[in-house]
């Protein structure tokens, strides 16, 4: 249906969704068959759900999961880019956690090491000056900013430019 309406891209929250099989084919394979590209999500832990960015064993486990997903999927022809995390900075507050964004940068570097051919996007819950400043300072390896926005989608370009964002962006969820 998406393809017949002129759509050409979708996003998953995690790699498991991209690999999930229906009628013997993964979502990535079905997307390829319909000329649709996929931003494959790489789920990152949320502090509000108990993930600790100061716990080395959790960090190592998460890094290994990301690397294994990259190795499995990097050569699929439907892969458009990597979506590193989804609102892991939290929908409330400033979203300027140094630990979160430094880890996002490390993960972006690992992704680029294992797959230099696809850009890395991180997805945030709306934007503000503190959040964008933290991303620019602590996660400069991010290529694209994905913004989940539920009001103000029409003015997102102006908002981002006014806040000093100069890299590509896309609206990844809206309503």
């Amino acid at each position: 249906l998406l393809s017949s309406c002129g759509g050409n891209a979708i996003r998953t929250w995690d790699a498991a969704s991209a690999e999930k099989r229906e009628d013997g084919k993964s979502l990535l394979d079905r997307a390829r068959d319909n000329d649709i590209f996929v931003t494959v999500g790489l789920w990152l832990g949320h502090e509000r759900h108990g993930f600790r960015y100061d716990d080395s064993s959790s960090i190592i486990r998460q890094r290994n999961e990301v690397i294994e997903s990259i190795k499995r999927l990097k050569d699929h022809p439907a892969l458009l880019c990597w979506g590193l995390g989804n609102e892991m900075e939290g929908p409330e507050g400033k979203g300027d956690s140094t630990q979160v964004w430094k880890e996002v940068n490390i993960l972006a570097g690992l992704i680029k090491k294992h797959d230099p051919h696809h850009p890395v996007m991180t997805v945030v819950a709306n934007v503000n000056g503190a959040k964008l400043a933290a991303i620019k300072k602590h996660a400069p390896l991010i290529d694209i900013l994905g913004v989940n926005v539920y009001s103000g989608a029409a003015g997102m370009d102006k908002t981002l430019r006014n806040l000093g964002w100069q890299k590509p962006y896309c609206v990844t969820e809206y309503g």
Side-chain angles (χ1 to χ4, degrees):
L1 179 60
L2 176 66
S3 183
S4 70
C5 294
N8 63 3
I10 61 172
R11 173 177 79 101
T12 69
W13 279 356
D14 58 20
S17 298
E19 296 175 286
K20 184 178 177 186
R21 299 184 93 66
E22 282 185 24
D23 299 325
K25 287 189 172 185
S26 71
L27 178 122
L28 280 166
D29 291 336
R30 292 191 320 275
R32 179 198 57 221
D33 292 347
N34 289 285
D35 297 319
I36 294 172
F37 291 95
V38 181
T39 295
V40 173
L42 300 165
W43 189 259
L44 298 184
H46 293 208
E47 291 177 310
R48 68 185 181 276
H49 298 153
F51 189 87
R52 293 187 44 210
Y53 280 86
D54 62 351
D55 176 51
S56 60
S57 63
S58 295
I59 292 295
I60 290 168
R61 185 172 47 255
Q62 181 167 265
R63 286 178 188 171
N64 288 336
E65 289 170 4
V66 166
I67 291 167
E68 288 307 312
S69 295
I70 302 304
K71 288 179 179 179
R72 283 192 316 272
L73 302 174
K74 67 185 178 91
D75 296 319
H76 197 285
L79 177 63
L80 177 64
C81 69
W82 300 105
L84 187 55
N86 183 72
E87 299 184 3
M88 63 280 167
E89 82 287 2
E92 290 90 28
K94 295 188 289 184
D96 60 350
S97 171
T98 300
Q99 284 181 305
V100 170
W101 298 120
K102 283 184 176 183
E103 183 58 23
V104 164
N105 199 60
I106 289 168
L107 288 166
L110 289 171
I111 293 167
K112 291 170 184 283
K113 175 184 173 189
H114 291 281
D115 180 11
H117 304 292
H118 294 95
V120 180
M121 173 172 63
T122 196
V123 179
V124 299
N126 221 325
V127 294
N128 62 52
K131 186 182 299 186
L132 287 180
I135 294 168
K136 289 191 310 186
K137 180 176 180 179
H138 301 295
L141 293 177
I142 291 300
D143 301 304
I144 305 165
L145 180 67
V147 183
N148 295 343
V149 58
Y150 291 94
S151 65
M156 187 50 56
D157 184 65
K158 184 177 180 182
T159 298
L160 287 168
R161 300 303 171 222
N162 286 344
L163 293 172
W165 187 257
Q166 297 179 350
K167 291 184 178 182
Y169 76 92
C170 63
V171 173
T172 44
E173 293 179 20
Y174 64 95

